[in-house]
Amino acid sequence: MRVSLPVYPRHKTRAEVATLRWVRENTNVPVPKVVSFDDSNDNEIRYEWILMEFMEGTSAHRRWRAMSMEQKIALTKRIATFQVELSGLGKPDSMFRSIGTLDLREVGQTAGVEDSEKVVPGLLVSHEFFMDDRIYYDIPRGPFRSSHDWLTTELNIILLHQTAVLEKTEDEDDKEDAEEVLLVARTLLSLVPKVFPPTLDESETTGLYHHDLHLNNILVNNEGEITAVLDWECVSALPLWMLTQVPKSLDGPIREEEPQRDMYADKTPGESDATAGEHNDPDYLDSDGKNELYYIHEMEYEATQLRKVYKARLRELWPEWPLEESYVKVDFFQAVSQCDGIWVKKVTPMSKRE
């Protein structure tokens, strides 16, 4: 059961239910079935909630070191297949024509998913749109017709937020940071029409993009086969160029040379004692007595090789996959995402309290 804080009342819960329903009906991606939900807080627990079926399996993160490279390759190819299915490729009725998070039409409180009508892109449910006081901004919230409209709004949110910081703060460092962000955001805003020309005809084709597909959100069985893909909150229908990014599970530094185990030190007695009590931690990984640096480098090497597998599989399934033409667009999106520093600004105060 997922219980949701009221960060985006009704919309966040409805969006996740709609997304899970669409994925189950239109793809082979294994996701939990929604048994029931309440998109209001007018209930016994006073929070929005979703009741889903239990999915068998262990997180791929937990099993990764025990999996063979052949199993990891098979898993990666399967994830690539899932991404093609999520794009709606080859199924015109399954493709979306605007940017937004999926929504259920005509859904009442505590309704079952079978009571809904067609699943369509609606308001964009993302952290950039509802974090802090952003939920109160008078801005377009979707669905957006084009990448131009979407990213223009993202940048306007940043401008509004940083302008408010300048007006309210008395801290000189905060003022300096806000001025720097405003300069970058204004520059990016002026470049939007060059990278994403305004669309005057029909809305842009989009597909579902799971932005948080790391190994903890992938469940596998003892053979390393995928049994479930989890955490679909804030997953949205985004432009096809966004779908050219590798999943988060394969992200990381490039390492072409395979690390040799014998070249790395064993754990010291102190390191072994420090991790002795972590065996019951869900994220604990058995290092087999080896220094953790070896496994960091091994993961970087494997991710580098598996990215090639992922891209090759996408090209096989999607010959028109717009990889090369998407580089600039993806880089621009990353610049927009990072120029406001939402998460950095939240982590910094916490680190100062240590």
Side-chain angles (χ1 to χ4, degrees), residues 134-168:
R134 292 167 175 79
I135 194 171
Y136 303 112
Y137 291 173
D138 183 16
I139 54 167
R141 295 186 175 273
F144 297 98
R145 296 182 67 252
S146 65
S147 298
H148 174 279
D149 296 350
W150 166 41
L151 292 175
T152 295
T153 300
E154 292 258 11
L155 287 164
N156 281 327
I157 291 173
I158 294 172
L159 293 174
L160 287 169
H161 179 67
Q162 295 301 329
T163 299
V165 171
L166 276 179
E167 293 173 350
K168 296 177 182 178

PDB file of all heavy atoms in Angstrom, residues 134-168:
ATOM      1  N   ARG A 134       6.125  26.061  -5.382  1.00  0.00           N
ATOM      2  CA  ARG A 134       5.898  26.052  -6.831  1.00  0.00           C
ATOM      3  C   ARG A 134       4.470  25.654  -7.197  1.00  0.00           C
ATOM      4  O   ARG A 134       3.975  26.018  -8.261  1.00  0.00           O
ATOM      5  CB  ARG A 134       6.887  25.096  -7.510  1.00  0.00           C
ATOM      6  CG  ARG A 134       8.336  25.569  -7.461  1.00  0.00           C
ATOM      7  CD  ARG A 134       9.277  24.443  -7.865  1.00  0.00           C
ATOM      8  NE  ARG A 134      10.656  24.869  -7.944  1.00  0.00           N
ATOM      9  CZ  ARG A 134      11.458  25.027  -6.900  1.00  0.00           C
ATOM     10  NH1 ARG A 134      10.999  24.786  -5.681  1.00  0.00           N
ATOM     11  NH2 ARG A 134      12.704  25.417  -7.058  1.00  0.00           N
ATOM     12  N   ILE A 135       3.829  24.907  -6.319  1.00  0.00           N
ATOM     13  CA  ILE A 135       2.470  24.459  -6.602  1.00  0.00           C
ATOM     14  C   ILE A 135       1.493  25.634  -6.672  1.00  0.00           C
ATOM     15  O   ILE A 135       0.416  25.533  -7.261  1.00  0.00           O
ATOM     16  CB  ILE A 135       2.012  23.435  -5.537  1.00  0.00           C
ATOM     17  CG1 ILE A 135       0.759  22.699  -6.006  1.00  0.00           C
ATOM     18  CG2 ILE A 135       1.785  24.109  -4.193  1.00  0.00           C
ATOM     19  CD1 ILE A 135       0.373  21.534  -5.134  1.00  0.00           C
ATOM     20  N   TYR A 136       1.879  26.782  -6.107  1.00  0.00           N
ATOM     21  CA  TYR A 136       0.991  27.944  -6.087  1.00  0.00           C
ATOM     22  C   TYR A 136       1.275  28.927  -7.223  1.00  0.00           C
ATOM     23  O   TYR A 136       0.570  29.928  -7.358  1.00  0.00           O
ATOM     24  CB  TYR A 136       1.120  28.676  -4.744  1.00  0.00           C
ATOM     25  CG  TYR A 136       0.829  27.788  -3.554  1.00  0.00           C
ATOM     26  CD1 TYR A 136       1.845  27.430  -2.672  1.00  0.00           C
ATOM     27  CD2 TYR A 136      -0.457  27.297  -3.323  1.00  0.00           C
ATOM     28  CE1 TYR A 136       1.580  26.608  -1.586  1.00  0.00           C
ATOM     29  CE2 TYR A 136      -0.726  26.471  -2.239  1.00  0.00           C
ATOM     30  CZ  TYR A 136       0.301  26.133  -1.378  1.00  0.00           C
ATOM     31  OH  TYR A 136       0.043  25.319  -0.310  1.00  0.00           O
ATOM     32  N   TYR A 137       2.289  28.660  -8.032  1.00  0.00           N
ATOM     33  CA  TYR A 137       2.615  29.585  -9.119  1.00  0.00           C
ATOM     34  C   TYR A 137       1.511  29.582 -10.178  1.00  0.00           C
ATOM     35  O   TYR A 137       0.938  28.529 -10.503  1.00  0.00           O
ATOM     36  CB  TYR A 137       3.935  29.196  -9.787  1.00  0.00           C
ATOM     37  CG  TYR A 137       5.168  29.404  -8.937  1.00  0.00           C
ATOM     38  CD1 TYR A 137       6.411  28.952  -9.377  1.00  0.00           C
ATOM     39  CD2 TYR A 137       5.112  30.039  -7.703  1.00  0.00           C
ATOM     40  CE1 TYR A 137       7.560  29.127  -8.618  1.00  0.00           C
ATOM     41  CE2 TYR A 137       6.245  30.220  -6.936  1.00  0.00           C
ATOM     42  CZ  TYR A 137       7.472  29.762  -7.394  1.00  0.00           C
ATOM     43  OH  TYR A 137       8.598  29.937  -6.639  1.00  0.00           O
ATOM     44  N   ASP A 138       1.254  30.746 -10.724  1.00  0.00           N
ATOM     45  CA  ASP A 138       0.267  30.888 -11.798  1.00  0.00           C
ATOM     46  C   ASP A 138       0.973  30.642 -13.130  1.00  0.00           C
ATOM     47  O   ASP A 138       1.439  31.572 -13.799  1.00  0.00           O
ATOM     48  CB  ASP A 138      -0.355  32.284 -11.756  1.00  0.00           C
ATOM     49  CG  ASP A 138      -1.450  32.455 -12.808  1.00  0.00           C
ATOM     50  OD1 ASP A 138      -1.919  31.431 -13.342  1.00  0.00           O
ATOM     51  OD2 ASP A 138      -1.813  33.619 -13.096  1.00  0.00           O
ATOM     52  N   ILE A 139       1.058  29.374 -13.502  1.00  0.00           N
ATOM     53  CA  ILE A 139       1.796  28.967 -14.699  1.00  0.00           C
ATOM     54  C   ILE A 139       1.008  27.884 -15.429  1.00  0.00           C
ATOM     55  O   ILE A 139       0.151  27.228 -14.834  1.00  0.00           O
ATOM     56  CB  ILE A 139       3.185  28.392 -14.328  1.00  0.00           C
ATOM     57  CG1 ILE A 139       3.002  27.263 -13.302  1.00  0.00           C
ATOM     58  CG2 ILE A 139       4.119  29.474 -13.816  1.00  0.00           C
ATOM     59  CD1 ILE A 139       4.220  26.423 -13.095  1.00  0.00           C
ATOM     60  N   PRO A 140       1.279  27.675 -16.712  1.00  0.00           N
ATOM     61  CA  PRO A 140       0.697  26.509 -17.394  1.00  0.00           C
ATOM     62  C   PRO A 140       1.229  25.234 -16.749  1.00  0.00           C
ATOM     63  O   PRO A 140       2.400  25.155 -16.385  1.00  0.00           O
ATOM     64  CB  PRO A 140       1.201  26.651 -18.835  1.00  0.00           C
ATOM     65  CG  PRO A 140       1.619  28.074 -18.971  1.00  0.00           C
ATOM     66  CD  PRO A 140       2.092  28.506 -17.620  1.00  0.00           C
ATOM     67  N   ARG A 141       0.382  24.220 -16.614  1.00  0.00           N
ATOM     68  CA  ARG A 141       0.791  22.984 -15.954  1.00  0.00           C
ATOM     69  C   ARG A 141       0.578  21.752 -16.824  1.00  0.00           C
ATOM     70  O   ARG A 141       0.782  20.635 -16.382  1.00  0.00           O
ATOM     71  CB  ARG A 141       0.052  22.836 -14.618  1.00  0.00           C
ATOM     72  CG  ARG A 141       0.445  23.924 -13.623  1.00  0.00           C
ATOM     73  CD  ARG A 141      -0.138  23.736 -12.249  1.00  0.00           C
ATOM     74  NE  ARG A 141       0.384  24.766 -11.345  1.00  0.00           N
ATOM     75  CZ  ARG A 141       1.511  24.664 -10.658  1.00  0.00           C
ATOM     76  NH1 ARG A 141       2.233  23.565 -10.749  1.00  0.00           N
ATOM     77  NH2 ARG A 141       1.919  25.643  -9.878  1.00  0.00           N
ATOM     78  N   GLY A 142       0.193  21.958 -18.057  1.00  0.00           N
ATOM     79  CA  GLY A 142       0.033  20.850 -18.964  1.00  0.00           C
ATOM     80  C   GLY A 142      -1.424  20.458 -19.142  1.00  0.00           C
ATOM     81  O   GLY A 142      -2.296  20.960 -18.428  1.00  0.00           O
ATOM     82  N   PRO A 143      -1.649  19.575 -20.114  1.00  0.00           N
ATOM     83  CA  PRO A 143      -0.621  18.988 -20.987  1.00  0.00           C
ATOM     84  C   PRO A 143      -0.041  20.024 -21.946  1.00  0.00           C
ATOM     85  O   PRO A 143      -0.728  20.959 -22.347  1.00  0.00           O
ATOM     86  CB  PRO A 143      -1.384  17.893 -21.739  1.00  0.00           C
ATOM     87  CG  PRO A 143      -2.813  18.345 -21.713  1.00  0.00           C
ATOM     88  CD  PRO A 143      -3.005  19.059 -20.420  1.00  0.00           C
ATOM     89  N   PHE A 144       1.230  19.832 -22.301  1.00  0.00           N
ATOM     90  CA  PHE A 144       1.933  20.752 -23.181  1.00  0.00           C
ATOM     91  C   PHE A 144       1.963  20.196 -24.605  1.00  0.00           C
ATOM     92  O   PHE A 144       2.141  18.999 -24.808  1.00  0.00           O
ATOM     93  CB  PHE A 144       3.362  20.979 -22.686  1.00  0.00           C
ATOM     94  CG  PHE A 144       3.433  21.619 -21.328  1.00  0.00           C
ATOM     95  CD1 PHE A 144       3.632  20.852 -20.189  1.00  0.00           C
ATOM     96  CD2 PHE A 144       3.284  22.987 -21.183  1.00  0.00           C
ATOM     97  CE1 PHE A 144       3.688  21.434 -18.931  1.00  0.00           C
ATOM     98  CE2 PHE A 144       3.335  23.594 -19.931  1.00  0.00           C
ATOM     99  CZ  PHE A 144       3.539  22.810 -18.801  1.00  0.00           C
ATOM    100  N   ARG A 145       1.829  21.082 -25.575  1.00  0.00           N
ATOM    101  CA  ARG A 145       1.794  20.659 -26.972  1.00  0.00           C
ATOM    102  C   ARG A 145       3.178  20.311 -27.505  1.00  0.00           C
ATOM    103  O   ARG A 145       3.297  19.544 -28.456  1.00  0.00           O
ATOM    104  CB  ARG A 145       1.188  21.758 -27.846  1.00  0.00           C
ATOM    105  CG  ARG A 145      -0.265  22.066 -27.546  1.00  0.00           C
ATOM    106  CD  ARG A 145      -0.829  23.122 -28.479  1.00  0.00           C
ATOM    107  NE  ARG A 145      -0.904  22.631 -29.858  1.00  0.00           N
ATOM    108  CZ  ARG A 145      -0.103  23.027 -30.830  1.00  0.00           C
ATOM    109  NH1 ARG A 145       0.862  23.908 -30.584  1.00  0.00           N
ATOM    110  NH2 ARG A 145      -0.245  22.554 -32.052  1.00  0.00           N
ATOM    111  N   SER A 146       4.227  20.893 -26.909  1.00  0.00           N
ATOM    112  CA  SER A 146       5.554  20.731 -27.497  1.00  0.00           C
ATOM    113  C   SER A 146       6.649  20.848 -26.449  1.00  0.00           C
ATOM    114  O   SER A 146       6.429  21.341 -25.331  1.00  0.00           O
ATOM    115  CB  SER A 146       5.776  21.808 -28.566  1.00  0.00           C
ATOM    116  OG  SER A 146       5.798  23.099 -27.959  1.00  0.00           O
ATOM    117  N   SER A 147       7.852  20.417 -26.837  1.00  0.00           N
ATOM    118  CA  SER A 147       9.026  20.576 -25.980  1.00  0.00           C
ATOM    119  C   SER A 147       9.277  22.052 -25.697  1.00  0.00           C
ATOM    120  O   SER A 147       9.684  22.428 -24.588  1.00  0.00           O
ATOM    121  CB  SER A 147      10.259  19.965 -26.658  1.00  0.00           C
ATOM    122  OG  SER A 147      10.102  18.586 -26.880  1.00  0.00           O
ATOM    123  N   HIS A 148       9.036  22.884 -26.693  1.00  0.00           N
ATOM    124  CA  HIS A 148       9.207  24.330 -26.535  1.00  0.00           C
ATOM    125  C   HIS A 148       8.341  24.851 -25.392  1.00  0.00           C
ATOM    126  O   HIS A 148       8.822  25.555 -24.492  1.00  0.00           O
ATOM    127  CB  HIS A 148       8.851  25.029 -27.850  1.00  0.00           C
ATOM    128  CG  HIS A 148       8.851  26.527 -27.762  1.00  0.00           C
ATOM    129  ND1 HIS A 148       7.774  27.241 -27.256  1.00  0.00           N
ATOM    130  CD2 HIS A 148       9.787  27.449 -28.108  1.00  0.00           C
ATOM    131  CE1 HIS A 148       8.049  28.532 -27.288  1.00  0.00           C
ATOM    132  NE2 HIS A 148       9.261  28.689 -27.803  1.00  0.00           N
ATOM    133  N   ASP A 149       7.069  24.496 -25.396  1.00  0.00           N
ATOM    134  CA  ASP A 149       6.155  24.997 -24.363  1.00  0.00           C
ATOM    135  C   ASP A 149       6.515  24.444 -22.984  1.00  0.00           C
ATOM    136  O   ASP A 149       6.463  25.163 -21.978  1.00  0.00           O
ATOM    137  CB  ASP A 149       4.715  24.605 -24.709  1.00  0.00           C
ATOM    138  CG  ASP A 149       4.237  25.268 -25.992  1.00  0.00           C
ATOM    139  OD1 ASP A 149       4.942  26.157 -26.504  1.00  0.00           O
ATOM    140  OD2 ASP A 149       3.162  24.883 -26.492  1.00  0.00           O
ATOM    141  N   TRP A 150       6.860  23.173 -22.938  1.00  0.00           N
ATOM    142  CA  TRP A 150       7.192  22.523 -21.663  1.00  0.00           C
ATOM    143  C   TRP A 150       8.430  23.146 -21.024  1.00  0.00           C
ATOM    144  O   TRP A 150       8.400  23.564 -19.856  1.00  0.00           O
ATOM    145  CB  TRP A 150       7.393  21.023 -21.907  1.00  0.00           C
ATOM    146  CG  TRP A 150       8.051  20.277 -20.791  1.00  0.00           C
ATOM    147  CD1 TRP A 150       7.826  20.417 -19.450  1.00  0.00           C
ATOM    148  CD2 TRP A 150       9.064  19.269 -20.922  1.00  0.00           C
ATOM    149  NE1 TRP A 150       8.626  19.545 -18.731  1.00  0.00           N
ATOM    150  CE2 TRP A 150       9.390  18.837 -19.613  1.00  0.00           C
ATOM    151  CE3 TRP A 150       9.702  18.678 -22.006  1.00  0.00           C
ATOM    152  CZ2 TRP A 150      10.347  17.847 -19.376  1.00  0.00           C
ATOM    153  CZ3 TRP A 150      10.640  17.688 -21.770  1.00  0.00           C
ATOM    154  CH2 TRP A 150      10.956  17.289 -20.471  1.00  0.00           C
ATOM    155  N   LEU A 151       9.526  23.240 -21.778  1.00  0.00           N
ATOM    156  CA  LEU A 151      10.775  23.741 -21.202  1.00  0.00           C
ATOM    157  C   LEU A 151      10.727  25.243 -20.954  1.00  0.00           C
ATOM    158  O   LEU A 151      11.387  25.745 -20.037  1.00  0.00           O
ATOM    159  CB  LEU A 151      11.946  23.363 -22.104  1.00  0.00           C
ATOM    160  CG  LEU A 151      12.211  21.850 -22.141  1.00  0.00           C
ATOM    161  CD1 LEU A 151      13.296  21.508 -23.147  1.00  0.00           C
ATOM    162  CD2 LEU A 151      12.598  21.336 -20.759  1.00  0.00           C
ATOM    163  N   THR A 152       9.941  25.961 -21.738  1.00  0.00           N
ATOM    164  CA  THR A 152       9.735  27.382 -21.448  1.00  0.00           C
ATOM    165  C   THR A 152       9.085  27.544 -20.080  1.00  0.00           C
ATOM    166  O   THR A 152       9.481  28.401 -19.276  1.00  0.00           O
ATOM    167  CB  THR A 152       8.856  28.030 -22.532  1.00  0.00           C
ATOM    168  OG1 THR A 152       9.559  28.004 -23.785  1.00  0.00           O
ATOM    169  CG2 THR A 152       8.528  29.477 -22.178  1.00  0.00           C
ATOM    170  N   THR A 153       8.103  26.701 -19.788  1.00  0.00           N
ATOM    171  CA  THR A 153       7.448  26.753 -18.481  1.00  0.00           C
ATOM    172  C   THR A 153       8.403  26.357 -17.365  1.00  0.00           C
ATOM    173  O   THR A 153       8.428  26.987 -16.296  1.00  0.00           O
ATOM    174  CB  THR A 153       6.211  25.837 -18.466  1.00  0.00           C
ATOM    175  OG1 THR A 153       5.290  26.261 -19.472  1.00  0.00           O
ATOM    176  CG2 THR A 153       5.520  25.880 -17.111  1.00  0.00           C
ATOM    177  N   GLU A 154       9.200  25.313 -17.587  1.00  0.00           N
ATOM    178  CA  GLU A 154      10.181  24.892 -16.575  1.00  0.00           C
ATOM    179  C   GLU A 154      11.113  26.057 -16.217  1.00  0.00           C
ATOM    180  O   GLU A 154      11.398  26.306 -15.037  1.00  0.00           O
ATOM    181  CB  GLU A 154      11.002  23.716 -17.105  1.00  0.00           C
ATOM    182  CG  GLU A 154      10.226  22.422 -17.271  1.00  0.00           C
ATOM    183  CD  GLU A 154      10.482  21.433 -16.151  1.00  0.00           C
ATOM    184  OE1 GLU A 154      11.089  21.836 -15.140  1.00  0.00           O
ATOM    185  OE2 GLU A 154      10.064  20.275 -16.295  1.00  0.00           O
ATOM    186  N   LEU A 155      11.578  26.767 -17.225  1.00  0.00           N
ATOM    187  CA  LEU A 155      12.494  27.881 -16.977  1.00  0.00           C
ATOM    188  C   LEU A 155      11.780  29.054 -16.311  1.00  0.00           C
ATOM    189  O   LEU A 155      12.357  29.732 -15.451  1.00  0.00           O
ATOM    190  CB  LEU A 155      13.146  28.312 -18.290  1.00  0.00           C
ATOM    191  CG  LEU A 155      14.208  27.335 -18.807  1.00  0.00           C
ATOM    192  CD1 LEU A 155      14.537  27.598 -20.268  1.00  0.00           C
ATOM    193  CD2 LEU A 155      15.482  27.433 -17.959  1.00  0.00           C
ATOM    194  N   ASN A 156      10.541  29.288 -16.668  1.00  0.00           N
ATOM    195  CA  ASN A 156       9.787  30.357 -16.008  1.00  0.00           C
ATOM    196  C   ASN A 156       9.550  30.044 -14.535  1.00  0.00           C
ATOM    197  O   ASN A 156       9.527  30.949 -13.693  1.00  0.00           O
ATOM    198  CB  ASN A 156       8.455  30.584 -16.724  1.00  0.00           C
ATOM    199  CG  ASN A 156       8.621  31.401 -17.996  1.00  0.00           C
ATOM    200  OD1 ASN A 156       9.491  32.278 -18.068  1.00  0.00           O
ATOM    201  ND2 ASN A 156       7.811  31.123 -19.000  1.00  0.00           N
ATOM    202  N   ILE A 157       9.382  28.768 -14.209  1.00  0.00           N
ATOM    203  CA  ILE A 157       9.262  28.371 -12.803  1.00  0.00           C
ATOM    204  C   ILE A 157      10.545  28.722 -12.052  1.00  0.00           C
ATOM    205  O   ILE A 157      10.517  29.255 -10.932  1.00  0.00           O
ATOM    206  CB  ILE A 157       8.976  26.860 -12.691  1.00  0.00           C
ATOM    207  CG1 ILE A 157       7.570  26.545 -13.197  1.00  0.00           C
ATOM    208  CG2 ILE A 157       9.131  26.378 -11.247  1.00  0.00           C
ATOM    209  CD1 ILE A 157       7.266  25.062 -13.279  1.00  0.00           C
ATOM    210  N   ILE A 158      11.681  28.426 -12.671  1.00  0.00           N
ATOM    211  CA  ILE A 158      12.970  28.742 -12.046  1.00  0.00           C
ATOM    212  C   ILE A 158      13.109  30.249 -11.849  1.00  0.00           C
ATOM    213  O   ILE A 158      13.550  30.720 -10.789  1.00  0.00           O
ATOM    214  CB  ILE A 158      14.123  28.192 -12.905  1.00  0.00           C
ATOM    215  CG1 ILE A 158      14.083  26.661 -12.915  1.00  0.00           C
ATOM    216  CG2 ILE A 158      15.472  28.690 -12.392  1.00  0.00           C
ATOM    217  CD1 ILE A 158      15.056  26.024 -13.891  1.00  0.00           C
ATOM    218  N   LEU A 159      12.718  31.030 -12.850  1.00  0.00           N
ATOM    219  CA  LEU A 159      12.812  32.486 -12.737  1.00  0.00           C
ATOM    220  C   LEU A 159      11.923  33.010 -11.610  1.00  0.00           C
ATOM    221  O   LEU A 159      12.337  33.878 -10.826  1.00  0.00           O
ATOM    222  CB  LEU A 159      12.417  33.136 -14.062  1.00  0.00           C
ATOM    223  CG  LEU A 159      13.366  32.892 -15.244  1.00  0.00           C
ATOM    224  CD1 LEU A 159      12.785  33.469 -16.525  1.00  0.00           C
ATOM    225  CD2 LEU A 159      14.743  33.500 -14.969  1.00  0.00           C
ATOM    226  N   LEU A 160      10.714  32.483 -11.509  1.00  0.00           N
ATOM    227  CA  LEU A 160       9.810  32.905 -10.439  1.00  0.00           C
ATOM    228  C   LEU A 160      10.376  32.558  -9.065  1.00  0.00           C
ATOM    229  O   LEU A 160      10.340  33.372  -8.131  1.00  0.00           O
ATOM    230  CB  LEU A 160       8.441  32.240 -10.620  1.00  0.00           C
ATOM    231  CG  LEU A 160       7.557  32.767 -11.751  1.00  0.00           C
ATOM    232  CD1 LEU A 160       6.361  31.834 -11.973  1.00  0.00           C
ATOM    233  CD2 LEU A 160       7.070  34.177 -11.434  1.00  0.00           C
ATOM    234  N   HIS A 161      10.898  31.342  -8.958  1.00  0.00           N
ATOM    235  CA  HIS A 161      11.411  30.886  -7.665  1.00  0.00           C
ATOM    236  C   HIS A 161      12.627  31.701  -7.227  1.00  0.00           C
ATOM    237  O   HIS A 161      12.702  32.153  -6.071  1.00  0.00           O
ATOM    238  CB  HIS A 161      11.780  29.408  -7.752  1.00  0.00           C
ATOM    239  CG  HIS A 161      12.339  28.855  -6.483  1.00  0.00           C
ATOM    240  ND1 HIS A 161      11.595  28.716  -5.336  1.00  0.00           N
ATOM    241  CD2 HIS A 161      13.595  28.426  -6.171  1.00  0.00           C
ATOM    242  CE1 HIS A 161      12.353  28.217  -4.370  1.00  0.00           C
ATOM    243  NE2 HIS A 161      13.564  28.034  -4.850  1.00  0.00           N
ATOM    244  N   GLN A 162      13.565  31.904  -8.121  1.00  0.00           N
ATOM    245  CA  GLN A 162      14.783  32.621  -7.753  1.00  0.00           C
ATOM    246  C   GLN A 162      14.521  34.112  -7.538  1.00  0.00           C
ATOM    247  O   GLN A 162      15.178  34.747  -6.706  1.00  0.00           O
ATOM    248  CB  GLN A 162      15.849  32.417  -8.830  1.00  0.00           C
ATOM    249  CG  GLN A 162      16.316  30.979  -8.967  1.00  0.00           C
ATOM    250  CD  GLN A 162      16.909  30.428  -7.684  1.00  0.00           C
ATOM    251  OE1 GLN A 162      17.494  31.164  -6.888  1.00  0.00           O
ATOM    252  NE2 GLN A 162      16.759  29.128  -7.468  1.00  0.00           N
ATOM    253  N   THR A 163      13.573  34.672  -8.257  1.00  0.00           N
ATOM    254  CA  THR A 163      13.190  36.065  -8.014  1.00  0.00           C
ATOM    255  C   THR A 163      12.607  36.217  -6.615  1.00  0.00           C
ATOM    256  O   THR A 163      12.896  37.190  -5.901  1.00  0.00           O
ATOM    257  CB  THR A 163      12.166  36.532  -9.066  1.00  0.00           C
ATOM    258  OG1 THR A 163      12.762  36.450 -10.368  1.00  0.00           O
ATOM    259  CG2 THR A 163      11.735  37.965  -8.807  1.00  0.00           C
ATOM    260  N   ALA A 164      11.797  35.239  -6.208  1.00  0.00           N
ATOM    261  CA  ALA A 164      11.230  35.260  -4.855  1.00  0.00           C
ATOM    262  C   ALA A 164      12.330  35.145  -3.800  1.00  0.00           C
ATOM    263  O   ALA A 164      12.266  35.795  -2.748  1.00  0.00           O
ATOM    264  CB  ALA A 164      10.220  34.125  -4.696  1.00  0.00           C
ATOM    265  N   VAL A 165      13.342  34.337  -4.084  1.00  0.00           N
ATOM    266  CA  VAL A 165      14.471  34.210  -3.153  1.00  0.00           C
ATOM    267  C   VAL A 165      15.161  35.556  -2.982  1.00  0.00           C
ATOM    268  O   VAL A 165      15.471  35.982  -1.860  1.00  0.00           O
ATOM    269  CB  VAL A 165      15.474  33.148  -3.654  1.00  0.00           C
ATOM    270  CG1 VAL A 165      16.750  33.182  -2.813  1.00  0.00           C
ATOM    271  CG2 VAL A 165      14.849  31.762  -3.605  1.00  0.00           C
ATOM    272  N   LEU A 166      15.403  36.244  -4.091  1.00  0.00           N
ATOM    273  CA  LEU A 166      16.062  37.552  -4.030  1.00  0.00           C
ATOM    274  C   LEU A 166      15.255  38.551  -3.205  1.00  0.00           C
ATOM    275  O   LEU A 166      15.817  39.370  -2.469  1.00  0.00           O
ATOM    276  CB  LEU A 166      16.264  38.104  -5.443  1.00  0.00           C
ATOM    277  CG  LEU A 166      17.495  37.632  -6.215  1.00  0.00           C
ATOM    278  CD1 LEU A 166      17.513  38.265  -7.599  1.00  0.00           C
ATOM    279  CD2 LEU A 166      18.773  37.982  -5.469  1.00  0.00           C
ATOM    280  N   GLU A 167      13.947  38.478  -3.330  1.00  0.00           N
ATOM    281  CA  GLU A 167      13.087  39.435  -2.637  1.00  0.00           C
ATOM    282  C   GLU A 167      12.980  39.154  -1.141  1.00  0.00           C
ATOM    283  O   GLU A 167      12.787  40.083  -0.346  1.00  0.00           O
ATOM    284  CB  GLU A 167      11.689  39.412  -3.261  1.00  0.00           C
ATOM    285  CG  GLU A 167      11.656  39.936  -4.692  1.00  0.00           C
ATOM    286  CD  GLU A 167      10.295  39.748  -5.341  1.00  0.00           C
ATOM    287  OE1 GLU A 167       9.448  39.041  -4.734  1.00  0.00           O
ATOM    288  OE2 GLU A 167      10.075  40.286  -6.438  1.00  0.00           O
ATOM    289  N   LYS A 168      13.133  37.887  -0.750  1.00  0.00           N
ATOM    290  CA  LYS A 168      12.880  37.516   0.642  1.00  0.00           C
ATOM    291  C   LYS A 168      14.138  37.346   1.488  1.00  0.00           C
ATOM    292  O   LYS A 168      14.129  37.623   2.685  1.00  0.00           O
ATOM    293  CB  LYS A 168      12.074  36.218   0.689  1.00  0.00           C
ATOM    294  CG  LYS A 168      10.684  36.327   0.081  1.00  0.00           C
ATOM    295  CD  LYS A 168       9.983  34.971   0.094  1.00  0.00           C
ATOM    296  CE  LYS A 168       8.608  35.053  -0.550  1.00  0.00           C
ATOM    297  NZ  LYS A 168       7.937  33.721  -0.585  1.00  0.00           N
TER     298      LYS A 168
END
